[in-house]
Amino acid sequence: MAGLRSAALPSPRRPDLSAREVGERRHGDRTRSWYENVLGWPTAPGVPPRLTVGVRFDVLDVPAEAGRAALERLGPAAEGFPVAVQGGRMRLLIAAGGADEVPGLLEWLDWGGLGLDLRALGGGLMDAPAPWTAGTGPDAPRGHRAAGRPGDGRAGSPQGAAVWLRPPEPGREAEASLPTMGTRSPRGVGDGPPDLVRLVSTVATQIHRVRLRCSGTGAAVRGVGQPLALS
């Protein structure tokens, strides 16, 4: 109509982020920067930040109870490679390409066809555990636990988040600590990560023992015909 001016419609207002959301974004940015700039590990965008599996490392994903028993069984060798936990699962980092070897190893060790709860991941994404030093500043999100010692699993992260049980060590090539086929310590047993055969054998044995215990059979693992299953 003549004499009337068109009024500009206001643009929809974006909701303000809460202090917690702002803190979580900053926390995630610091975590992502640590992996990319310190370790050189690629990450995927999003909250929480995630690590790309299959580029610099593969993953053995196992029940946490069996994984902890396997680490105790491995002794000092368990301290030579990174291990993360989240919920009821444990993620043991192995050399890139190692996931392709796992099915054949399970067959060779006579564990094939038993339906063990063990997944070898050579691709995809995993939640990035916060570095153990993260989450300690004044802008750390509320609800995050205080940072603990390296590797104690209290990585300044919210409940249910992935945390490091055995963190990667910056300052040296992280991939050198990952179990692979034919890994040998130059100074002897206990001075380096276990080779992939020993790791898979130990983990498979403990998964089976946990399953037997939970099923109430009380059967001993050595009585089920596993001649090559090293423990």
Side-chain angles (χ1 to χ4, degrees), residues 1 4 15-16 28 51 69 84 109 127 133 139 161 167 175 188-189 192 219 221 224 229:
M1 294 178 62
L4 295 179
D16 294 332
L51 297 173
L109 294 164
D127 286 357
T133 53
D139 56 352
E175 285 77 8
V189 176
V221 171
V224 295

Side-chain angles (χ1 to χ4, degrees), residues 127-146:
D127 286 357
W132 72 276
T133 53
T136 58
D139 56 352
R142 292 184 179 180
H144 283 62
R145 290 171 288 177

Side-chain angles (χ1 to χ4, degrees), residues 148-204:
R149 298 183 304 276
D152 70 359
R154 296 178 293 150
S157 300
Q159 294 290 340
V163 296
W164 285 117
L165 184 66
R166 299 281 189 272
E169 296 183 17
R172 66 186 179 89
E173 188 67 17
E175 285 77 8
S177 68
L178 302 181
T180 184
M181 292 293 290
T183 299
R184 291 292 184 270
S185 168
R187 292 178 294 171
V189 176
D191 294 322
D195 63 28
L196 192 59
V197 175
R198 183 183 177 197
L199 177 62
V200 170
S201 174
T202 305
V203 170

Side-chain angles (χ1 to χ4, degrees), residues 15-28 30 137-144:
D16 294 332
L17 295 177
S18 67
R20 178 184 178 87
E21 290 171 325
V22 170
E24 287 177 344
R25 289 194 177 188
R26 290 177 180 173
H27 186 79
R30 290 198 305 272
D139 56 352
R142 292 184 179 180
H144 283 62

